[in-house]
Amino acid sequence: MAKAIDLPRNESGIQTAMGVLKQQFGDRFQTSASVREQHGHTTTWIANQMPDAVVFAKSTQEVSDIVKVCAAHKVPVIAFGTGTSLEGHVNAAAGGISIDLSQMNKIINVHSEDLDCVIQPGVTREDLNTHLRDQGLFFPIDPGANASLGGMAATRASGTNAVRYGTMKDNVLALEAVMADGRIIRTAQRAKKSSAGYDLTRLLVGSEGTLGIITEITLKLQGIPEAISSARCSFPSVDAACQTVMQVIQFGIPVARIELLDTLQVQACNAYSGLDLPETPLLLLEFHGSDAGVVEQAETFGAIAEEFGGTGYTATTSTEERNALWKARHNAYWASLGLRPGAKGISTDVCVPISRLAEIVVAAQERLEELGFLAPIVGHVGDGNFHSLVLVDENSPEEMAKAEDYVSWLAETAISMDGTCTGEHGVGQGKMPYLVKELGEATDVMIAIKRALDPDNILNPGKVVTV
Amino acid sequence: MAKAIDLPRNESGIQTAMGVLKQQFGDRFQTSASVREQHGHTTTWIANQMPDAVVFAKSTQEVSDIVKVCAAHKVPVIAFGTGTSLEGHVNAAAGGISIDLSQMNKIINVHSEDLDCVIQPGVTREDLNTHLRDQGLFFPIDPGANASLGGMAATRASGTNAVRYGTMKDNVLALEAVMADGRIIRTAQRAKKSSAGYDLTRLLVGSEGTLGIITEITLKLQGIPEAISSARCSFPSVDAACQTVMQVIQFGIPVARIELLDTLQVQACNAYSGLDLPETPLLLLEFHGSDAGVVEQAETFGAIAEEFGGTGYTATTSTEERNALWKARHNAYWASLGLRPGAKGISTDVCVPISRLAEIVVAAQERLEELGFLAPIVGHVGDGNFHSLVLVDENSPEEMAKAEDYVSWLAETAISMDGTCTGEHGVGQGKMPYLVKELGEATDVMIAIKRALDPDNILNPGKVVTV
């Protein structure tokens, strides 16, 4: 575990607020160690910092009530969805109250005629898609975990479909949020576009609970495509695979997904899922469109891949074969852990302009080899975004130090290529040092905004920027 | 002309700053009445409020220098591109200095392999597209005027292609901006996606020069499609045309453009452009894709249109025919003015969820008839966005009052339908009262941000929100 930095605690305020909240929320106010630990940990590699209590909220008004109590006593408030963030987003660096939003999980309204829906923040992406399926609709953003949509909005999540459908920033139409003083605001109406004032929707998306707590979300939806085709293609090198991706994007093929698995990841998937994929870099693809359209896309891709030495290219519209292929991709994390049983997987991600993708992936592989790590690489490469899963013995200080060195090196290399230190995992605690390196004085503007909207620094303190 | 509200002037500060700037900028510091009038007027229907002086900046550093002088003396600074905004965006409500950015018109870099470019804010959209054409690329956002891209970013502009390619918020990757104290910041790197901190890019897009002055823009580009097909189809009623649009969007046809012209607009275009289009509501369309793809899109559209009584449907891939069709659309403004020679055209726009589109367009037509106005309606209807061009005698106080009543009624009706008071024209001065009606307490959050980033209220004061 990497060390987490503790911030000063407002002990008396915390005790007073806890007394008030216990009275107000009864059974839904919890302080057991297991509940607190679960709410301070998440899937991060940063050491747990437990909140002092967890309150399970059932309505926007309740969230507002909790925030008002905490504001009155200057006590930290941390919004919690499913706890699947990766950079220590929900660690309670200064203690305080975790607001668990998982019981705010109603789908309030689906406006199928407008291709949008209004939901509470605790709805998970899988639940939403299950609900939508009968209406021929889906919500495309798919981070690895079955995250809550509130958490996905708060961290500006994306996933495998982002190359075609964008990230959360592109798919949230409006938010309701509770601000640091307990006020409830709505950032926008349901119109598809608007030029009405500052874009508070996009300001809250990605603010990681530090500017407001999202209590309702209006999302854009997509019609389920008439046809879906999946494909895979093996390449002689990462460079050849990345060159293919660049051509596909430049050619304007509207790929819905284009995922890179490096050789090590393919080996892991073969072992874990009982497959016999050629053990060289692999691209997995998905095409959405009309019946004729997906065939055309697949053919055009095939022609490009061939130019770069792609082999074993197969495309299919069979749902069964498609599911088998993507199941292997979705199990990549578990498959990777199998490469080194007992190891912890540290997942870190960066994103670069696509012209630099091959270069940084190759450099990352070399670096990992130098450091002696087993660390498969998978990537949403259509956007220039990829992940390293570094397998470490978390009880070995040397290994942890080397892993931290790698994370630093990767972030800084991405920044030096005009890329970002975090493509889709957010900043949390883990990427704070690199945010400053990436954006310089712009982080002072972020701090000014944070101070203006949360003068007592009670909303998820110690994340994103240092105030 | 509608009256503009004057704000208090800081007379001594203005005189001092002018003295300093005159010395620094020589010939590029101008105070002639004609230059000042041109920089305070624009194409708005709100009375001119001239700045005290105009400085023609040539670099980011110069913009920073000007802002520093103005900050030191608490003098208003108003960024000026081409002056084509519609809601009084560049009026100098408290006097001050207009910074003309039209000489900052370099295309700094086109990264064709990454489908992006870096430009100065004075580059116009037509100049950019002329520059890009040889590389097989284009920038899709097309407000009516040949606006500067800095102005387009600052007002969150969109246009006819937004249904497919989004608005400026979706097509700006990063900005360089000069803040209220003269600091220069960069909001993001060039990666296609990022979850690195607060989305300052989107905060500045649409902030209308009130939070910072945009001095450099990184834009996403698109490949020119392999095939483009245009089409037109007439409908028995606005309702039938809007129902068709709804179906097209729900069906997921990736239309690049879908524009509604009401009967009055068609009559105006026939007269102006010598056409003989049936004088009923008309949809104009454009499809982008592969050769086979655009044919398929056009066929699917045709089948939907027929269900709703569409007639005279013709689709063409001939560039000549396409240009003739779209030229008539682009001349809609001039054609409309021909309906009432000598009249002023007041252009106002709203945007609603698409399910309410037919209802609000029909209601608007009825309202305009009651008020006795000639006022054609055109709309980027795939997004639920449309414009009324109200033809008024601007010297008639009665007509102006009635026109203002209509603008109010339309904004409030759109808001009541979960829509926005401004789809793409921004807030400026003209839509300020409705912004509060639309977003309530969220405007207080906007004010808090404005105060934090511009404590002396020198950046384009009197626009967007009242501080």
Side-chain angles (χ1 to χ4, degrees), chain B residues 294-328:
Chain B
V294 298
V295 170
E296 191 181 38
Q297 289 179 51
E299 281 173 4
T300 312
F301 172 81
I304 293 172
E306 206 182 317
E307 272 181 53
F308 292 97
T311 54
Y313 177 53
T314 49
T316 174
T317 52
S318 140
T319 309
E320 206 169 287
E321 289 176 52
R322 184 172 82 237
N323 288 348
L325 204 60
W326 285 104
K327 196 170 174 199

Side-chain angles (χ1 to χ4, degrees), chain B residues 314-350:
Chain B
T314 49
T316 174
T317 52
S318 140
T319 309
E320 206 169 287
E321 289 176 52
R322 184 172 82 237
N323 288 348
L325 204 60
W326 285 104
K327 196 170 174 199
R329 165 65 187 92
H330 283 131
N331 285 335
Y333 176 79
W334 303 109
S336 300
L337 293 183
L339 290 171
R340 187 179 175 189
K344 167 94 182 169
I346 296 179
S347 179
T348 192
D349 96 304
V350 295

